[in-house]
Amino acid sequence: MVILVAAPFIIGLVLGFYDHDHGTWAFVGLANFTHILSGGGRGSDDPLNFWFILAVTLAWTFANVV
């Protein structure tokens, strides 16, 4: 379970604090998370907006469970 679940989760969480650009890594702190949670400057009806994707995912899950 550590290899299949915990390790990828921890690695992904750590990588979330960095920006990767042309082979270089730069620590950006919470900037990536605030960018995603703020919608990234996209409208709420834009399919690339985090909240739109979350709503579609929840609707899809609910429809399939029902």
Side-chain angles (χ1 to χ4, degrees):
M1 290 298 289
V2 171
I3 293 171
L4 295 176
V5 177
F9 178 78
I10 292 169
I11 291 168
L13 184 63
V14 170
L15 289 177
F17 292 98
Y18 288 87
D19 181 34
H20 182 253
D21 187 31
H22 300 290
T24 60
W25 292 88
F27 183 77
V28 293
L30 295 174
N32 287 337
F33 297 101
T34 56
H35 179 74
I36 290 170
L37 294 176
S38 68
R42 300 179 186 278
S44 60
D45 60 344
D46 188 330
L48 295 178
N49 182 310
F50 170 77
W51 299 108
F52 180 85
I53 294 170
L54 180 63
V56 169
T57 301
L58 291 175
W60 177 261
T61 302
F62 178 77
N64 282 289
V65 169
V66 170

Short mmCIF file of all heavy atoms in Angstrom, two decimals:
data_model
loop_
_atom_site.label_atom_id
_atom_site.label_comp_id
_atom_site.label_asym_id
_atom_site.label_seq_id
_atom_site.Cartn_x
_atom_site.Cartn_y
_atom_site.Cartn_z
N MET A 1 0.82 -1.20 0.00
CA MET A 1 0.00 0.00 0.00
C MET A 1 0.86 1.26 0.00
O MET A 1 0.48 2.25 -0.60
CB MET A 1 -0.92 0.00 1.23
CG MET A 1 -2.03 -1.03 1.17
SD MET A 1 -3.16 -0.80 -0.20
CE MET A 1 -4.02 0.64 0.30
N VAL A 2 2.00 1.19 0.66
CA VAL A 2 2.88 2.37 0.69
C VAL A 2 3.40 2.66 -0.70
O VAL A 2 3.41 3.82 -1.14
CB VAL A 2 4.05 2.14 1.68
CG1 VAL A 2 5.09 3.24 1.55
CG2 VAL A 2 3.54 2.06 3.09
N ILE A 3 3.79 1.62 -1.44
CA ILE A 3 4.34 1.82 -2.78
C ILE A 3 3.26 2.27 -3.76
O ILE A 3 3.49 3.14 -4.59
CB ILE A 3 5.01 0.52 -3.27
CG1 ILE A 3 6.26 0.23 -2.43
CG2 ILE A 3 5.37 0.62 -4.74
CD1 ILE A 3 6.87 -1.12 -2.70
N LEU A 4 2.08 1.70 -3.66
CA LEU A 4 1.03 1.98 -4.64
C LEU A 4 0.18 3.21 -4.32
O LEU A 4 -0.39 3.81 -5.23
CB LEU A 4 0.12 0.77 -4.78
CG LEU A 4 0.76 -0.48 -5.37
CD1 LEU A 4 -0.22 -1.63 -5.36
CD2 LEU A 4 1.27 -0.22 -6.77
N VAL A 5 0.08 3.58 -3.04
CA VAL A 5 -0.81 4.68 -2.67
C VAL A 5 -0.05 5.84 -2.03
O VAL A 5 -0.11 6.97 -2.52
CB VAL A 5 -1.92 4.18 -1.72
CG1 VAL A 5 -2.80 5.33 -1.28
CG2 VAL A 5 -2.76 3.11 -2.39
N ALA A 6 0.65 5.58 -0.94
CA ALA A 6 1.25 6.65 -0.17
C ALA A 6 2.38 7.36 -0.92
O ALA A 6 2.44 8.60 -0.94
CB ALA A 6 1.77 6.12 1.17
N ALA A 7 3.28 6.60 -1.54
CA ALA A 7 4.41 7.22 -2.23
C ALA A 7 3.97 8.13 -3.37
O ALA A 7 4.40 9.29 -3.44
CB ALA A 7 5.38 6.15 -2.72
N PRO A 8 3.10 7.68 -4.29
CA PRO A 8 2.66 8.60 -5.36
C PRO A 8 1.91 9.82 -4.81
O PRO A 8 2.05 10.92 -5.35
CB PRO A 8 1.74 7.74 -6.22
CG PRO A 8 2.16 6.34 -5.95
CD PRO A 8 2.61 6.32 -4.52
N PHE A 9 1.14 9.63 -3.75
CA PHE A 9 0.41 10.75 -3.15
C PHE A 9 1.38 11.79 -2.60
O PHE A 9 1.24 13.00 -2.85
CB PHE A 9 -0.53 10.26 -2.05
CG PHE A 9 -1.25 11.37 -1.36
CD1 PHE A 9 -2.34 11.97 -1.96
CD2 PHE A 9 -0.84 11.83 -0.12
CE1 PHE A 9 -3.02 13.01 -1.33
CE2 PHE A 9 -1.50 12.86 0.52
CZ PHE A 9 -2.59 13.45 -0.09
N ILE A 10 2.38 11.35 -1.87
CA ILE A 10 3.36 12.27 -1.27
C ILE A 10 4.20 12.95 -2.35
O ILE A 10 4.43 14.15 -2.29
CB ILE A 10 4.24 11.53 -0.25
CG1 ILE A 10 3.39 11.11 0.95
CG2 ILE A 10 5.42 12.38 0.18
CD1 ILE A 10 4.07 10.17 1.91
N ILE A 11 4.62 12.19 -3.35
CA ILE A 11 5.40 12.77 -4.45
C ILE A 11 4.58 13.82 -5.19
O ILE A 11 5.06 14.91 -5.49
CB ILE A 11 5.90 11.67 -5.41
CG1 ILE A 11 6.95 10.81 -4.70
CG2 ILE A 11 6.46 12.27 -6.69
CD1 ILE A 11 7.31 9.54 -5.44
N GLY A 12 3.33 13.52 -5.49
CA GLY A 12 2.46 14.48 -6.16
C GLY A 12 2.22 15.73 -5.33
O GLY A 12 2.20 16.84 -5.86
N LEU A 13 2.05 15.54 -4.02
CA LEU A 13 1.85 16.69 -3.15
C LEU A 13 3.09 17.59 -3.12
O LEU A 13 2.98 18.81 -3.23
CB LEU A 13 1.52 16.20 -1.73
CG LEU A 13 1.20 17.28 -0.71
CD1 LEU A 13 -0.06 18.04 -1.12
CD2 LEU A 13 1.02 16.66 0.65
N VAL A 14 4.26 16.99 -3.02
CA VAL A 14 5.50 17.76 -3.01
C VAL A 14 5.69 18.48 -4.34
O VAL A 14 6.05 19.66 -4.38
CB VAL A 14 6.71 16.86 -2.68
CG1 VAL A 14 8.02 17.59 -2.91
CG2 VAL A 14 6.62 16.36 -1.25
N LEU A 15 5.44 17.80 -5.45
CA LEU A 15 5.61 18.42 -6.76
C LEU A 15 4.63 19.57 -6.98
O LEU A 15 4.89 20.47 -7.79
CB LEU A 15 5.45 17.39 -7.87
CG LEU A 15 6.58 16.38 -8.01
CD1 LEU A 15 6.26 15.37 -9.11
CD2 LEU A 15 7.90 17.07 -8.29
N GLY A 16 3.50 19.56 -6.27
CA GLY A 16 2.53 20.64 -6.37
C GLY A 16 3.07 21.99 -5.92
O GLY A 16 2.53 23.03 -6.27
N PHE A 17 4.15 21.98 -5.15
CA PHE A 17 4.74 23.22 -4.66
C PHE A 17 5.84 23.76 -5.57
O PHE A 17 6.48 24.75 -5.26
CB PHE A 17 5.32 23.01 -3.26
CG PHE A 17 4.26 22.77 -2.22
CD1 PHE A 17 3.94 21.49 -1.82
CD2 PHE A 17 3.56 23.83 -1.67
CE1 PHE A 17 2.96 21.27 -0.86
CE2 PHE A 17 2.58 23.63 -0.72
CZ PHE A 17 2.27 22.33 -0.32
N TYR A 18 6.06 23.10 -6.71
CA TYR A 18 7.12 23.49 -7.63
C TYR A 18 6.56 23.80 -9.02
O TYR A 18 5.53 23.28 -9.41
CB TYR A 18 8.17 22.38 -7.75
CG TYR A 18 9.03 22.23 -6.53
CD1 TYR A 18 8.62 21.44 -5.47
CD2 TYR A 18 10.23 22.91 -6.42
CE1 TYR A 18 9.40 21.31 -4.33
CE2 TYR A 18 11.02 22.79 -5.29
CZ TYR A 18 10.59 21.99 -4.25
OH TYR A 18 11.37 21.88 -3.13
N ASP A 19 7.29 24.64 -9.75
CA ASP A 19 6.97 24.94 -11.14
C ASP A 19 8.07 24.34 -12.01
O ASP A 19 9.26 24.53 -11.72
CB ASP A 19 6.90 26.45 -11.36
CG ASP A 19 6.53 26.80 -12.79
OD1 ASP A 19 5.76 26.06 -13.40
OD2 ASP A 19 7.03 27.83 -13.28
N HIS A 20 7.68 23.62 -13.04
CA HIS A 20 8.66 23.00 -13.94
C HIS A 20 8.60 23.71 -15.28
O HIS A 20 7.55 23.77 -15.91
CB HIS A 20 8.34 21.51 -14.11
CG HIS A 20 9.33 20.80 -14.97
ND1 HIS A 20 9.03 20.40 -16.25
CD2 HIS A 20 10.60 20.41 -14.74
CE1 HIS A 20 10.07 19.80 -16.77
NE2 HIS A 20 11.05 19.79 -15.88
N ASP A 21 9.73 24.24 -15.70
CA ASP A 21 9.77 24.99 -16.96
C ASP A 21 11.08 24.69 -17.67
O ASP A 21 12.15 25.08 -17.20
CB ASP A 21 9.63 26.48 -16.69
CG ASP A 21 9.50 27.29 -17.97
OD1 ASP A 21 8.95 26.76 -18.96
OD2 ASP A 21 9.97 28.44 -17.99
N HIS A 22 11.01 24.01 -18.80
CA HIS A 22 12.17 23.71 -19.65
C HIS A 22 13.30 23.04 -18.86
O HIS A 22 14.46 23.42 -18.96
CB HIS A 22 12.69 24.96 -20.34
CG HIS A 22 11.68 25.61 -21.23
ND1 HIS A 22 11.25 25.05 -22.40
CD2 HIS A 22 10.99 26.77 -21.09
CE1 HIS A 22 10.36 25.83 -22.95
NE2 HIS A 22 10.17 26.89 -22.19
N GLY A 23 12.94 22.05 -18.06
CA GLY A 23 13.95 21.27 -17.34
C GLY A 23 14.42 21.87 -16.03
O GLY A 23 15.26 21.28 -15.36
N THR A 24 13.89 23.01 -15.65
CA THR A 24 14.28 23.60 -14.37
C THR A 24 13.10 23.60 -13.42
O THR A 24 11.95 23.77 -13.84
CB THR A 24 14.79 25.05 -14.54
OG1 THR A 24 13.73 25.83 -15.11
CG2 THR A 24 16.00 25.10 -15.45
N TRP A 25 13.39 23.41 -12.16
CA TRP A 25 12.36 23.38 -11.13
C TRP A 25 12.52 24.61 -10.24
O TRP A 25 13.62 24.94 -9.84
CB TRP A 25 12.50 22.12 -10.27
CG TRP A 25 12.17 20.88 -11.02
CD1 TRP A 25 13.02 20.13 -11.77
CD2 TRP A 25 10.90 20.24 -11.11
NE1 TRP A 25 12.37 19.06 -12.31
CE2 TRP A 25 11.06 19.10 -11.91
CE3 TRP A 25 9.64 20.50 -10.58
CZ2 TRP A 25 10.02 18.23 -12.20
CZ3 TRP A 25 8.61 19.63 -10.87
CH2 TRP A 25 8.79 18.52 -11.67
N ALA A 26 11.42 25.26 -9.95
CA ALA A 26 11.44 26.43 -9.07
C ALA A 26 10.35 26.28 -8.02
O ALA A 26 9.21 25.97 -8.34
CB ALA A 26 11.22 27.71 -9.87
N PHE A 27 10.71 26.52 -6.77
CA PHE A 27 9.74 26.45 -5.68
C PHE A 27 8.80 27.65 -5.77
O PHE A 27 9.25 28.79 -5.82
CB PHE A 27 10.45 26.43 -4.32
CG PHE A 27 9.52 26.30 -3.16
CD1 PHE A 27 8.96 25.08 -2.84
CD2 PHE A 27 9.19 27.41 -2.39
CE1 PHE A 27 8.09 24.95 -1.77
CE2 PHE A 27 8.33 27.30 -1.32
CZ PHE A 27 7.78 26.07 -1.01
N VAL A 28 7.49 27.39 -5.80
CA VAL A 28 6.51 28.48 -5.89
C VAL A 28 5.54 28.49 -4.70
O VAL A 28 4.64 29.31 -4.66
CB VAL A 28 5.73 28.42 -7.21
CG1 VAL A 28 6.63 28.70 -8.39
CG2 VAL A 28 5.01 27.11 -7.37
N GLY A 29 5.72 27.58 -3.78
CA GLY A 29 4.87 27.54 -2.60
C GLY A 29 3.43 27.21 -2.95
O GLY A 29 3.15 26.28 -3.71
N LEU A 30 2.52 27.99 -2.44
CA LEU A 30 1.09 27.74 -2.64
C LEU A 30 0.54 28.36 -3.92
O LEU A 30 -0.66 28.29 -4.17
CB LEU A 30 0.29 28.25 -1.44
CG LEU A 30 0.56 27.52 -0.12
CD1 LEU A 30 -0.17 28.23 1.02
CD2 LEU A 30 0.15 26.08 -0.20
N ALA A 31 1.38 28.96 -4.73
CA ALA A 31 0.92 29.66 -5.94
C ALA A 31 0.18 28.73 -6.89
O ALA A 31 -0.84 29.12 -7.48
CB ALA A 31 2.09 30.31 -6.66
N ASN A 32 0.65 27.50 -7.06
CA ASN A 32 -0.04 26.56 -7.96
C ASN A 32 -1.44 26.26 -7.45
O ASN A 32 -2.40 26.19 -8.23
CB ASN A 32 0.75 25.27 -8.08
CG ASN A 32 2.00 25.42 -8.90
OD1 ASN A 32 2.11 26.32 -9.72
ND2 ASN A 32 2.96 24.54 -8.68
N PHE A 33 -1.57 26.07 -6.13
CA PHE A 33 -2.86 25.73 -5.55
C PHE A 33 -3.83 26.91 -5.63
O PHE A 33 -5.01 26.73 -5.94
CB PHE A 33 -2.68 25.26 -4.11
CG PHE A 33 -1.86 24.01 -4.01
CD1 PHE A 33 -0.53 24.07 -3.64
CD2 PHE A 33 -2.41 22.77 -4.31
CE1 PHE A 33 0.23 22.92 -3.54
CE2 PHE A 33 -1.65 21.61 -4.22
CZ PHE A 33 -0.33 21.68 -3.84
N THR A 34 -3.35 28.12 -5.36
CA THR A 34 -4.23 29.29 -5.45
C THR A 34 -4.65 29.54 -6.90
O THR A 34 -5.78 29.95 -7.15
CB THR A 34 -3.56 30.55 -4.87
OG1 THR A 34 -2.32 30.78 -5.52
CG2 THR A 34 -3.32 30.40 -3.38
N HIS A 35 -3.75 29.27 -7.84
CA HIS A 35 -4.08 29.43 -9.26
C HIS A 35 -5.20 28.47 -9.66
O HIS A 35 -6.16 28.86 -10.33
CB HIS A 35 -2.84 29.20 -10.12
CG HIS A 35 -3.09 29.32 -11.59
ND1 HIS A 35 -3.28 30.53 -12.21
CD2 HIS A 35 -3.18 28.39 -12.56
CE1 HIS A 35 -3.49 30.34 -13.50
NE2 HIS A 35 -3.43 29.04 -13.73
N ILE A 36 -5.10 27.24 -9.24
CA ILE A 36 -6.11 26.24 -9.58
C ILE A 36 -7.44 26.57 -8.90
O ILE A 36 -8.50 26.56 -9.53
CB ILE A 36 -5.64 24.83 -9.19
CG1 ILE A 36 -4.51 24.38 -10.11
CG2 ILE A 36 -6.79 23.83 -9.23
CD1 ILE A 36 -3.82 23.12 -9.68
N LEU A 37 -7.40 26.85 -7.60
CA LEU A 37 -8.64 27.08 -6.86
C LEU A 37 -9.31 28.39 -7.21
O LEU A 37 -10.52 28.54 -7.01
CB LEU A 37 -8.37 27.00 -5.36
CG LEU A 37 -7.95 25.61 -4.86
CD1 LEU A 37 -7.62 25.67 -3.38
CD2 LEU A 37 -9.02 24.58 -5.14
N SER A 38 -8.56 29.34 -7.76
CA SER A 38 -9.17 30.60 -8.18
C SER A 38 -9.77 30.51 -9.57
O SER A 38 -10.37 31.45 -10.05
CB SER A 38 -8.14 31.73 -8.14
OG SER A 38 -7.16 31.54 -9.15
N GLY A 39 -9.60 29.39 -10.23
CA GLY A 39 -10.14 29.21 -11.57
C GLY A 39 -9.16 29.54 -12.66
O GLY A 39 -9.47 29.42 -13.84
N GLY A 40 -7.99 30.00 -12.30
CA GLY A 40 -6.96 30.31 -13.29
C GLY A 40 -7.33 31.42 -14.24
O GLY A 40 -6.85 31.47 -15.37
N GLY A 41 -8.22 32.32 -13.81
CA GLY A 41 -8.62 33.43 -14.67
C GLY A 41 -9.66 33.04 -15.71
O GLY A 41 -9.99 33.83 -16.59
N ARG A 42 -10.17 31.84 -15.62
CA ARG A 42 -11.18 31.38 -16.57
C ARG A 42 -12.57 31.54 -15.97
O ARG A 42 -12.74 31.52 -14.76
CB ARG A 42 -10.94 29.91 -16.91
CG ARG A 42 -9.59 29.65 -17.54
CD ARG A 42 -9.40 28.17 -17.83
NE ARG A 42 -8.07 27.86 -18.30
CZ ARG A 42 -7.67 28.01 -19.54
NH1 ARG A 42 -8.48 28.49 -20.44
NH2 ARG A 42 -6.44 27.70 -19.88
N GLY A 43 -13.56 31.67 -16.84
CA GLY A 43 -14.93 31.78 -16.40
C GLY A 43 -15.43 30.47 -15.82
O GLY A 43 -14.88 29.41 -16.08
N SER A 44 -16.49 30.54 -15.03
CA SER A 44 -17.00 29.33 -14.38
C SER A 44 -17.62 28.35 -15.37
O SER A 44 -17.84 27.18 -15.03
CB SER A 44 -18.03 29.70 -13.31
OG SER A 44 -19.10 30.40 -13.90
N ASP A 45 -17.90 28.79 -16.59
CA ASP A 45 -18.46 27.88 -17.60
C ASP A 45 -17.39 27.36 -18.56
O ASP A 45 -17.71 26.65 -19.51
CB ASP A 45 -19.58 28.57 -18.37
CG ASP A 45 -19.09 29.83 -19.09
OD1 ASP A 45 -18.00 30.33 -18.75
OD2 ASP A 45 -19.81 30.30 -19.98
N ASP A 46 -16.13 27.69 -18.31
CA ASP A 46 -15.03 27.22 -19.15
C ASP A 46 -14.68 25.78 -18.76
O ASP A 46 -14.46 25.49 -17.59
CB ASP A 46 -13.81 28.12 -18.95
CG ASP A 46 -12.68 27.82 -19.92
OD1 ASP A 46 -12.54 26.66 -20.35
OD2 ASP A 46 -11.94 28.75 -20.26
N PRO A 47 -14.62 24.86 -19.72
CA PRO A 47 -14.32 23.46 -19.40
C PRO A 47 -12.93 23.24 -18.80
O PRO A 47 -12.66 22.17 -18.29
CB PRO A 47 -14.42 22.75 -20.75
CG PRO A 47 -15.23 23.63 -21.61
CD PRO A 47 -15.00 25.03 -21.12
N LEU A 48 -12.05 24.24 -18.82
CA LEU A 48 -10.73 24.09 -18.21
C LEU A 48 -10.68 24.69 -16.80
O LEU A 48 -9.63 24.67 -16.16
CB LEU A 48 -9.66 24.73 -19.09
CG LEU A 48 -9.46 24.05 -20.45
CD1 LEU A 48 -8.42 24.80 -21.26
CD2 LEU A 48 -9.06 22.60 -20.28
N ASN A 49 -11.79 25.20 -16.30
CA ASN A 49 -11.87 25.74 -14.96
C ASN A 49 -12.00 24.57 -13.98
O ASN A 49 -12.79 23.65 -14.17
CB ASN A 49 -13.08 26.66 -14.84
CG ASN A 49 -13.21 27.30 -13.49
OD1 ASN A 49 -13.15 26.64 -12.46
ND2 ASN A 49 -13.42 28.60 -13.49
N PHE A 50 -11.22 24.59 -12.90
CA PHE A 50 -11.23 23.52 -11.90
C PHE A 50 -12.63 23.26 -11.37
O PHE A 50 -13.05 22.11 -11.22
CB PHE A 50 -10.29 23.86 -10.74
CG PHE A 50 -10.43 22.93 -9.57
CD1 PHE A 50 -9.89 21.66 -9.61
CD2 PHE A 50 -11.11 23.33 -8.43
CE1 PHE A 50 -10.01 20.79 -8.54
CE2 PHE A 50 -11.25 22.47 -7.36
CZ PHE A 50 -10.69 21.21 -7.40
N TRP A 51 -13.36 24.31 -11.05
CA TRP A 51 -14.69 24.15 -10.45
C TRP A 51 -15.68 23.55 -11.44
O TRP A 51 -16.57 22.78 -11.05
CB TRP A 51 -15.18 25.48 -9.88
CG TRP A 51 -14.25 25.96 -8.81
CD1 TRP A 51 -13.37 26.99 -8.89
CD2 TRP A 51 -14.05 25.37 -7.53
NE1 TRP A 51 -12.65 27.09 -7.73
CE2 TRP A 51 -13.05 26.12 -6.86
CE3 TRP A 51 -14.62 24.29 -6.86
CZ2 TRP A 51 -12.62 25.82 -5.58
CZ3 TRP A 51 -14.19 24.00 -5.58
CH2 TRP A 51 -13.20 24.75 -4.95
N PHE A 52 -15.55 23.88 -12.71
CA PHE A 52 -16.40 23.28 -13.74
C PHE A 52 -16.12 21.78 -13.83
O PHE A 52 -17.03 20.96 -13.86
CB PHE A 52 -16.15 23.95 -15.10
CG PHE A 52 -16.97 23.39 -16.22
CD1 PHE A 52 -18.26 23.85 -16.45
CD2 PHE A 52 -16.46 22.40 -17.05
CE1 PHE A 52 -19.03 23.32 -17.48
CE2 PHE A 52 -17.21 21.88 -18.08
CZ PHE A 52 -18.50 22.35 -18.30
N ILE A 53 -14.84 21.42 -13.86
CA ILE A 53 -14.45 20.01 -13.95
C ILE A 53 -14.93 19.25 -12.72
O ILE A 53 -15.43 18.13 -12.83
CB ILE A 53 -12.92 19.89 -14.12
CG1 ILE A 53 -12.50 20.48 -15.46
CG2 ILE A 53 -12.47 18.44 -13.99
CD1 ILE A 53 -11.00 20.63 -15.62
N LEU A 54 -14.81 19.86 -11.54
CA LEU A 54 -15.27 19.22 -10.32
C LEU A 54 -16.78 18.99 -10.36
O LEU A 54 -17.27 17.91 -10.00
CB LEU A 54 -14.90 20.05 -9.09
CG LEU A 54 -15.33 19.48 -7.75
CD1 LEU A 54 -14.65 18.14 -7.48
CD2 LEU A 54 -15.04 20.48 -6.64
N ALA A 55 -17.54 19.98 -10.82
CA ALA A 55 -18.99 19.84 -10.90
C ALA A 55 -19.39 18.74 -11.88
O ALA A 55 -20.29 17.94 -11.59
CB ALA A 55 -19.62 21.18 -11.33
N VAL A 56 -18.73 18.67 -13.03
CA VAL A 56 -19.03 17.62 -14.01
C VAL A 56 -18.69 16.25 -13.44
O VAL A 56 -19.45 15.29 -13.59
CB VAL A 56 -18.28 17.88 -15.34
CG1 VAL A 56 -18.36 16.68 -16.26
CG2 VAL A 56 -18.82 19.12 -16.02
N THR A 57 -17.56 16.15 -12.75
CA THR A 57 -17.16 14.89 -12.15
C THR A 57 -18.16 14.44 -11.09
O THR A 57 -18.54 13.26 -11.04
CB THR A 57 -15.75 15.01 -11.52
OG1 THR A 57 -14.83 15.39 -12.54
CG2 THR A 57 -15.31 13.70 -10.88
N LEU A 58 -18.60 15.36 -10.25
CA LEU A 58 -19.59 15.02 -9.22
C LEU A 58 -20.92 14.62 -9.84
O LEU A 58 -21.57 13.66 -9.39
CB LEU A 58 -19.76 16.18 -8.25
CG LEU A 58 -18.56 16.46 -7.35
CD1 LEU A 58 -18.81 17.72 -6.52
CD2 LEU A 58 -18.25 15.28 -6.46
N ALA A 59 -21.35 15.34 -10.87
CA ALA A 59 -22.60 15.00 -11.55
C ALA A 59 -22.50 13.62 -12.20
O ALA A 59 -23.44 12.80 -12.12
CB ALA A 59 -22.95 16.06 -12.60
N TRP A 60 -21.39 13.34 -12.84
CA TRP A 60 -21.16 12.04 -13.48
C TRP A 60 -21.18 10.92 -12.45
O TRP A 60 -21.80 9.88 -12.63
CB TRP A 60 -19.84 12.05 -14.25
CG TRP A 60 -19.49 10.75 -14.88
CD1 TRP A 60 -18.64 9.82 -14.40
CD2 TRP A 60 -20.01 10.23 -16.11
NE1 TRP A 60 -18.58 8.74 -15.26
CE2 TRP A 60 -19.42 8.98 -16.31
CE3 TRP A 60 -20.91 10.71 -17.04
CZ2 TRP A 60 -19.71 8.18 -17.41
CZ3 TRP A 60 -21.19 9.93 -18.14
CH2 TRP A 60 -20.60 8.69 -18.32
N THR A 61 -20.51 11.13 -11.33
CA THR A 61 -20.45 10.13 -10.27
C THR A 61 -21.84 9.90 -9.69
O THR A 61 -22.26 8.74 -9.50
CB THR A 61 -19.48 10.58 -9.15
OG1 THR A 61 -18.19 10.78 -9.74
CG2 THR A 61 -19.39 9.53 -8.06
N PHE A 62 -22.56 10.98 -9.41
CA PHE A 62 -23.91 10.86 -8.85
C PHE A 62 -24.82 10.11 -9.81
O PHE A 62 -25.58 9.21 -9.41
CB PHE A 62 -24.48 12.25 -8.55
CG PHE A 62 -25.87 12.20 -8.02
CD1 PHE A 62 -26.12 11.84 -6.72
CD2 PHE A 62 -26.95 12.54 -8.83
CE1 PHE A 62 -27.42 11.79 -6.22
CE2 PHE A 62 -28.25 12.50 -8.35
CZ PHE A 62 -28.48 12.13 -7.03
N ALA A 63 -24.76 10.45 -11.11
CA ALA A 63 -25.61 9.79 -12.10
C ALA A 63 -25.30 8.30 -12.20
O ALA A 63 -26.22 7.48 -12.36
CB ALA A 63 -25.43 10.46 -13.47
N ASN A 64 -24.03 7.94 -12.10
CA ASN A 64 -23.68 6.53 -12.20
C ASN A 64 -24.02 5.75 -10.94
O ASN A 64 -24.31 4.55 -11.02
CB ASN A 64 -22.19 6.38 -12.53
CG ASN A 64 -21.94 6.64 -14.00
OD1 ASN A 64 -22.32 5.84 -14.84
ND2 ASN A 64 -21.32 7.76 -14.29
N VAL A 65 -23.98 6.40 -9.79
CA VAL A 65 -24.35 5.71 -8.55
C VAL A 65 -25.85 5.48 -8.52
O VAL A 65 -26.31 4.40 -8.13
CB VAL A 65 -23.89 6.52 -7.32
CG1 VAL A 65 -24.50 5.97 -6.03
CG2 VAL A 65 -22.38 6.50 -7.23
N VAL A 66 -26.62 6.48 -8.96
CA VAL A 66 -28.07 6.33 -9.00
C VAL A 66 -28.44 5.27 -10.00
O VAL A 66 -29.24 4.41 -9.81
CB VAL A 66 -28.74 7.67 -9.31
CG1 VAL A 66 -30.22 7.49 -9.59
CG2 VAL A 66 -28.53 8.65 -8.18
#
